Amino acid sequence: MFEAVSGLGAYLLLVIVIAQYRKPRTRTYLVCPPEHFVVHYAINPWMDTSTPVDTDLAVKQWEILRETLVRLGHTVHVLPPQRHLPDMVFAANGAFCVDGVAYGARFRYPERMPEAAAHREWYLARPDHWRFVEPSYVNEGEGDFAYLPDAYGGLILAGHGFRTEPAAHSEAQKALGRPAVSLHLVDPRFYHLDVALAALDDENVAYHPGAFSAASQRVLRQLFPDAVLADEADALAFGLNLVSDGRHVVLNADATGLAGKLSAAGYQPVPVELSELKKGGGSVKCCVAELRPPLSSV
Ligand code: ARG
């Protein structure tokens, strides 16, 4: 009995020590309000045009997400939404930025193609901060790209299988000057990398192995032996579609299992309700593009 209690005590102490070690880093984000969000076409298995969407509720839930990011101390820029572009709320798809370079998106489906220009204009309007690189290959921005500045000196993780073309991975590597590791997504429910894997801090990730091919699972195990592993229920609750500042992990409120695993690993889960946007096949991360400004301006 005494041994069991002291074992538990040692475990709790360890969790507290790790939690102190998780340091948040202030971020800059770009978001777009879901004022025109509806589900009038279906381009992923989550979208069902016969399910009604409450756009006002989507806006309210999104506003809480925006406020949460601000309350955590981050800078949040807002991209004006456009009528007839209902998926524009998923701002993460518009580009992929590393150290002041914005590698633009090129969407797979015609319904979303015009969104790329809205993002391009945003970067081009700020030439002192951003160098914009026009892509030649289909890629959906941070939907399929993640960046870990302290892993192996700066590592890009790049998904393919449903949206982004593998050729875009080498194009991103060239544009951003960081190695890009290609990961093959095999489950259509996890059609973007950012619903299957997330950066938790500058060097570690959480992911759901079942979303990846056997070879990509092997690659992930080799690169990230300390990763937080998410099960299918976590992934289906959009738990991995999270935004972390290295300590606070903003994630879908339904992902209670993953929240527990993150707490045990010393992170602080910050749950948010995003039920309406789930009908579009997205959650927290899809709504939030991280703007990584030039290192000199940090
Ligand atoms: N309806 C959108 C699509 O299928 C959802 C995009 C979600 N975004 C993301 N970063 N995973 O394209």
Side-chain angles (χ1 to χ4, degrees), residues 49 70 83 98 166 223 227 234 241 285 296:
T49 53
V70 170
R83 208 176 285 279
V98 174
L223 292 177
D234 297 328
N241 197 241
K285 171 63 210 171
S296 54

Side-chain angles (χ1 to χ4, degrees), residues 136-158:
S136 309
Y137 297 100
V138 171
N139 84 86
E140 299 199 343
E142 284 198 313
D144 273 323
F145 288 111
Y147 184 58
L148 293 140
D150 285 347
Y152 307 93
L155 189 69
I156 295 169
L157 298 179

Side-chain angles (χ1 to χ4, degrees), residues 37-39 41-45 47 86-87 89-93 107 109 112 115 140-144 163 191-195 238 241 277 279-283 285-288:
F37 177 66
V38 284
V39 178
Y41 54 79
I43 54 172
N44 70 55
M47 300 174 87
D87 276 340
V89 59
F90 301 118
N93 296 123
F107 286 81
Y109 295 109
R112 297 197 67 187
E115 293 178 41
E140 299 199 343
E142 284 198 313
D144 273 323
R163 299 290 179 91
Y191 59 94
H192 271 145
L193 183 68
D194 73 358
V195 291
F238 276 92
N241 197 241
L277 294 178
K279 297 172 183 171
S283 188
K285 171 63 210 171
C286 300
C287 295
V288 182

Side-chain angles (χ1 to χ4, degrees), residues 12-295:
L12 289 176
L13 190 66
L14 187 68
V15 169
I16 292 167
V17 168
I18 294 174
Q20 295 313 312
Y21 164 83
R22 304 283 179 210
K23 294 257 178 290
R25 185 164 59 71
T26 306
R27 314 289 173 123
T28 306
Y29 298 122
L30 181 66
V31 297
C32 178
E35 270 162 48
H36 306 297
F37 177 66
V38 284
V39 178
H40 284 171
Y41 54 79
I43 54 172
N44 70 55
W46 300 89
M47 300 174 87
D48 175 358
T49 53
S50 64
T51 305
V53 168
D54 183 339
T55 305
D56 291 342
L57 180 57
V59 171
K60 285 193 187 105
Q61 293 178 332
W62 178 91
E63 191 51 45
I64 292 171
L65 169 63
R66 194 191 63 80
E67 284 165 13
T68 301
L69 297 171
V70 170
R71 182 170 50 78
L72 290 170
H74 306 300
T75 301
V76 182
H77 296 287
V78 177
L79 182 68
Q82 290 181 26
R83 208 176 285 279
H84 309 305
L85 292 177
D87 276 340
M88 239 186 119
V89 59
F90 301 118
N93 296 123
F96 175 47
C97 300
V98 174
D99 298 345
V101 180
Y103 172 60
R106 188 160 168 169
F107 286 81
R108 163 125 345 236
Y109 295 109
E111 291 90 339
R112 297 197 67 187
M113 282 176 184
E115 293 178 41
H119 284 266
R120 184 200 304 118
E121 295 317 313
W122 195 89
Y123 293 102
L124 292 179
R126 292 161 182 77
D128 293 347
H129 297 92
W130 298 102
R131 184 163 68 79
F132 184 82
V133 178
E134 185 65 38
S136 309
Y137 297 100
V138 171
N139 84 86
E140 299 199 343
E142 284 198 313
D144 273 323
F145 288 111
Y147 184 58
L148 293 140
D150 285 347
Y152 307 93
L155 189 69
I156 295 169
L157 298 179
H160 70 97
F162 299 101
R163 299 290 179 91
T164 294
E165 289 180 276
H169 297 181
S170 32
E171 192 176 48
Q173 169 167 304
K174 192 169 162 221
L176 303 168
R178 303 289 191 286
V181 173
S182 288
L183 299 167
H184 189 188
L185 296 161
V186 293
D187 185 331
R189 296 170 301 174
F190 310 122
Y191 59 94
H192 271 145
L193 183 68
D194 73 358
V195 291
L197 176 147
L200 292 174
D201 51 34
D202 289 344
E203 57 193 351
N204 203 16
V205 297
Y207 67 95
H208 171 48
F212 297 92
S213 67
S216 293
Q217 289 181 34
R218 165 97 185 45
V219 169
L220 285 167
R221 277 199 303 277
Q222 179 178 328
L223 292 177
F224 302 105
D226 299 326
V228 174
L229 295 185
D231 60 25
E232 187 175 270
D234 297 328
L236 289 174
F238 276 92
L240 289 163
N241 197 241
L242 60 81
V243 168
S244 175
D245 63 13
R247 180 182 175 102
H248 312 100
V249 182
V250 184
L251 84 172
N252 196 299
D254 296 338
T256 50
L258 184 61
K261 290 170 200 165
L262 293 169
S263 298
Y267 298 95
Q268 198 175 310
V270 181
V272 290
E273 207 73 61
L274 283 178
S275 61
E276 290 313 295
L277 294 178
K278 196 173 175 185
K279 297 172 183 171
S283 188
V284 177
K285 171 63 210 171
C286 300
C287 295
V288 182
E290 182 165 351
L291 303 177
R292 299 177 192 83
L295 286 179

